[in-house]
Amino acid sequence: VAVVGIFVCVLKSDEDRALADATAMAALLREDNLLLQEASLSDVLTGLRNRFALRRDYSGYAESGASLHVMMVDLDNFKGINDAYGHETGDLVLKDVGSILLGTFGPECSYRYGGDEFLVIASDWTDDEFDAACKRMRGQMESLSIGADGESVLFSGGYVCGSPRLPADLRLLMRQAD
C-alpha cells in the first residue's frame, strides 16, 4: 500500500508539472499568435495596414452607416524612381509616405493599398478636420525629395465623403476617390 501511495504521489507531481508546463506553453502560443496576427495585418515596409487588414475592416466600414472620408493617394511615376535611383531608394520613399499618413491620419485609418497606392478611410471626421489633415499631408508630401539632386516626389490623390450602407457603397466610394 505504501509503494502504491508513493507511486500515486509521484504521478500526481508529474501531472502537476506537466499541467504547469502546458499552461506556460499555451500562454506563449497566445502571445505568438497575437504577434503573427498583427504582422499579417501590417505592411512590413511602411507600417500601414495592408489589404488583408482592409478585408477584415471592410464590412465594419461598409455597414456602419457612419460618415466616411475615403482618399486614394498614388505616387506618380514610381517605376521611374525605382529605375533611376534603385529599389532601396524607392522603398525609402514608400516608408516616408507611410510615415506621413500614419502621422496625419493615424494607424486605424491608413492602408497601403497596392505597390505605390495608399488608402485612407476616416470614420466620423468632419469635413473641416479632414481638409486640414489633407493640407498637412500635402505639405509634407510636397517636401519629399529623392537623391542628391533633390528631385520631388510627385503624387496624385482624391477623396470623397459618404455614408455607405452596403459593401457596394464603400467600393463605389473607393472608385470615386481613385
Side-chain angles (χ1 to χ4, degrees):
V1 170
V3 172
V4 170
I6 293 171
F7 184 69
V8 168
C9 287
V10 169
L11 287 177
K12 178 66 174 146
S13 174
D14 288 347
E15 178 186 32
D16 290 344
R17 196 171 26 257
L19 183 59
D21 289 347
T23 301
M25 287 176 26
L28 289 172
L29 281 173
R30 276 193 298 279
E31 288 177 30
D32 286 347
N33 281 335
L34 287 173
L35 290 172
L36 286 171
Q37 181 180 13
E38 186 59 36
S40 74
L41 300 173
S42 297
D43 176 61
V44 71
L45 184 64
T46 63
L48 301 174
R49 290 180 175 187
N50 60 22
R51 287 186 79 151
F52 185 71
L54 178 61
R55 280 193 288 277
R56 179 201 63 184
D57 301 342
Y58 195 87
S59 63
Y61 287 131
E63 296 166 2
S64 71
S67 175
L68 298 179
H69 286 85
V70 178
M71 178 174 62
M72 297 291 290
V73 175
D74 183 26
L75 300 180
D76 298 336
N77 194 27
F78 186 70
K79 183 182 179 325
I81 293 171
N82 280 335
D83 290 347
Y85 298 98
H87 289 273
E88 193 171 300
T89 299
D91 286 352
L92 291 174
V93 169
L94 293 171
K95 286 179 188 178
D96 288 344
V97 171
S99 292
I100 290 169
L101 292 175
L102 283 171
T104 305
F105 299 100
E108 67 282 354
C109 298
S110 307
Y111 298 86
R112 183 170 178 202
Y113 191 68
D116 64 346
E117 291 183 308
F118 299 88
L119 172 68
V120 172
I121 302 177
S123 178
D124 293 322
W125 288 40
T126 67
D127 289 341
D128 289 341
E129 289 170 331
F130 197 78
D131 287 341
C134 287
K135 189 177 225 179
R136 284 192 311 276
M137 179 208 69
R138 187 176 62 233
Q140 292 175 28
M141 295 275 288
E142 288 173 347
S143 70
L144 290 178
S145 60
I146 312 163
D149 60 355
E151 180 183 339
S152 295
V153 175
L154 302 176
F155 64 96
S156 54
Y159 76 86
V160 296
C161 182
S163 298
R165 302 267 184 233
L166 301 167
D169 298 339
L170 182 54
R171 280 192 294 277
L172 176 61
L173 289 174
M174 290 169 63
R175 276 195 310 274
Q176 290 172 337
D178 197 29

